[in-house]
Amino acid sequence: MTDTMIELRELTKIYPGTDIPAVESLTMDIPRGEIVVFVGPSGCGKTTSLKMINRIIEPSSGHIVLDGEDVTNVDPDQLRRRIGYVIQQIGLFPHIRIGDNVATVPNLLGWDKERTRARVDELLDIVGLDPDIYRSRFPKELSGGQRQRVGVARALAADPPVLLMDEPFGAIDPITRTRLQNEFLRLQDELQKTIVFVTHDIDEAIKMGDRIAILEQKSIPAQFATPEEILTAPANEFVEDFVGAGATLKRLKLTRIREIDIIDDCLTGSITEDKHTLRRKLDESDWTALLLLDEQHRPIRWLRAPDFRHDRPVDQMGLPAVAFVEPHATLSDALEEMLIGSAGVAIVIDSRGTFQGILDIDTIINSIQLMRDESAEFYRAEKLIDPAEVVS
């Protein structure tokens, strides 16, 4: 087994009626278990390149090697059953139920009903849709975000080693998009698929990609590198212009919450405790608020001293706990949640909603300063520019 899952060799596409290639001699090694993002200006050929990998679009010349096998000339239907595919428009069959949509490829592969049913329920659960509730619904009965989750589940149904994603979150509102991105990154931590992901959004590329291919016209790579390398050492002026200003803030999309020290000694209390006990905890601490947890240790309310003056049940006091983030989310996600929350912090929870700690603005500021220091050190080592300009 090699470390490379997909090899593209001199891959070229020339459409009939034109002499100008849409994709010209694209050569690239895509590592096993990584997310590689194709990003570039409109019309640069990134979607054409993606579709040639599973031969939805047939290449004019060149070779596609999948896990050591040249699949350029194999049966394209057989090839596509080995590769999951997720598109922006989701592409669910509107006339069949969600369970049958997810089961499309297993049915084509001749799986028995019991195995198929178990796989459908497993995947719906993985993408956060209760199978007992959603299995029998039709696509029109789901929100856009829910339909996109079903699209991901369907692409994963036969457990393909490779997943192709063509702007999968592009047609969804920004809040749902961020949540789906985070859920997908959580899934990738578990599944370790090889993923080729197309987007036009450099911020999404930085957040989602283990490596990014910034493509010029004809899908010619201007730079193929990690997000960190692209932000700190753009290969040329084209890459600099495409990435744009604000590289430090963009790097907030590189740092995961799990990579930093969160505040895990936040003052908490349990809903099983009486008001007197909770008030005493707050009075004896240096905290201005107490985070109330339910019996499963999930955050539910923020309680401040004035809240105890009212004769209400504990679970109706204070303000609802909002601004939740999971450890795989980025610091950029946490900052966005802080801005919409009522307490000025992001609450870190695990996949079951269990409280892990909090993240405040000081942590974000310290992380930004650390990134600036690292950038200054890099440029000092490379002698590219005066390090004072980096941190100015």
Side-chain angles (χ1 to χ4, degrees):
M1 181 180 293
T2 67
D3 292 332
T4 300
M5 175 59 82
I6 304 171
E7 302 171 48
L8 306 180
R9 293 290 176 262
E10 299 291 325
L11 208 59
T12 297
K13 180 62 182 179
I14 302 175
Y15 286 102
T18 179
D19 296 328
I20 301 174
V23 176
E24 183 174 34
S25 299
L26 176 60
T27 297
M28 182 179 296
D29 289 344
I30 296 174
R32 185 184 304 273
E34 291 193 5
I35 301 177
V36 170
V37 181
F38 290 175
V39 62
S42 179
C44 72
K46 51 188 182 289
T47 292
T48 300
S49 299
L50 182 83
K51 290 182 176 180
M52 282 195 287
I53 294 174
N54 67 352
R55 293 176 47 212
I56 289 177
I57 293 177
E58 289 288 354
S60 302
S61 62
H63 292 271
I64 306 149
V65 179
L66 178 63
D67 200 12
E69 177 189 358
D70 191 329
V71 295
T72 313
N73 298 306
V74 303
D75 183 338
D77 289 334
Q78 293 297 323
L79 172 62
R80 289 172 202 140
R81 292 172 189 176
R82 297 166 56 187
I83 299 176
Y85 189 49
V86 185
I87 60 176
Q88 178 175 331
Q89 294 82 9
I90 306 163
L92 300 182
F93 302 116
H95 59 287
I96 64 175
R97 299 180 188 276
I98 294 305
D100 294 324
N101 263 285
V102 177
T104 300
V105 175
N107 287 337
L108 290 171
L109 294 174
W111 289 19
D112 63 63
K113 290 184 178 180
E114 184 176 344
R115 181 186 179 191
T116 300
R117 168 86 173 218
R119 181 61 173 164
V120 167
D121 286 359
E122 175 190 14
L123 285 168
L124 288 177
D125 186 60
I126 284 174
V127 299
L129 298 172
D130 186 334
D132 292 334
I133 295 174
Y134 292 97
R135 185 193 311 113
S136 300
R137 291 188 179 180
F138 287 95
K140 67 181 181 181
E141 300 177 90
L142 274 59
S143 69
Q146 290 170 335
R147 289 196 297 271
Q148 193 67 62
R149 294 186 197 188
V150 174
V152 171
R154 184 176 65 180
L156 293 170
D159 198 22
V162 172
L163 199 61
L164 307 181
M165 307 185 75
D166 190 2
E167 301 211 41
F169 311 128
I172 300 171
D173 68 89
I175 293 176
T176 303
R177 183 183 192 187
T178 296
R179 290 174 180 167
L180 284 177
Q181 289 170 341
N182 290 339
E183 287 178 10
F184 186 79
L185 289 171
R186 176 180 60 80
L187 283 178
Q188 174 64 356
D189 284 344
E190 300 174 7
L191 302 176
Q192 294 296 298
K193 300 295 184 183
T194 302
I195 298 167
V196 185
F197 188 111
V198 164
T199 182
H200 66 279
D201 183 348
I202 186 62
D203 289 331
E204 182 171 59
I206 290 167
K207 176 176 179 176
M208 300 297 293
D210 294 301
R211 298 174 199 266
I212 299 172
I214 297 185
L215 304 177
E216 299 186 65
Q217 294 301 316
K218 305 179 188 178
S219 277
I220 296 172
Q223 188 168 7
F224 182 42
T226 66
E228 182 78 15
E229 290 172 311
I230 285 172
L231 290 175
T232 56
N236 52 39
E237 188 175 344
F238 177 85
V239 175
E240 285 184 348
D241 290 343
F242 194 83
V243 171
T248 298
L249 290 177
K250 284 183 170 64
R251 290 179 70 188
L252 288 178
K253 296 181 182 293
L254 298 178
T255 305
R256 309 284 173 194
I257 292 170
R258 64 183 176 224
E259 298 168 0
I260 65 173
D261 293 328
I262 62 173
I263 301 170
D264 56 9
D265 59 350
C266 168
L267 180 64
T268 63
S270 173
I271 197 170
T272 60
E273 297 177 291
D274 59 44
K275 285 185 182 180
H276 177 73
T277 301
L278 294 172
R279 178 60 191 265
R280 187 179 70 252
K281 279 187 174 182
L282 183 57
D283 289 344
E284 292 176 354
S285 77
D286 295 328
W287 292 82
T288 59
L290 175 147
L291 183 59
L292 186 67
L293 309 176
D294 68 12
E295 294 178 353
Q296 285 74 47
H297 211 62
R298 296 173 301 196
I300 50 176
R301 312 286 292 187
W302 283 107
L303 307 182
R304 295 178 173 83
D307 299 322
F308 289 90
R309 299 172 189 164
H310 304 289
D311 187 20
R312 297 174 186 163
V314 172
D315 61 357
Q316 296 178 21
M317 293 167 50
L319 295 171
V322 294
F324 298 119
V325 291
E326 294 186 26
H328 56 268
T330 67
L331 291 188
S332 179
D333 298 329
L335 183 57
E336 290 180 11
E337 291 292 336
M338 285 182 201
L339 295 176
I340 65 173
S342 58
V345 299
I347 303 172
V348 183
I349 56 174
D350 65 15
S351 59
R352 298 179 300 276
T354 304
F355 176 69
Q356 304 293 303
I358 63 172
L359 198 62
D360 62 11
I361 194 65
D362 287 339
T363 308
I364 302 290
I365 292 172
N366 290 339
S367 296
I368 291 174
Q369 186 57 54
L370 179 61
M371 291 176 194
R372 286 177 170 174
D373 292 344
E374 290 174 347
S375 292
E377 183 62 31
F378 172 82
Y379 282 109
R380 184 182 296 110
E382 296 296 322
K383 299 180 180 178
L384 296 177
I385 61 171
D386 182 346
E389 296 179 20
V390 179
V391 297
S392 61

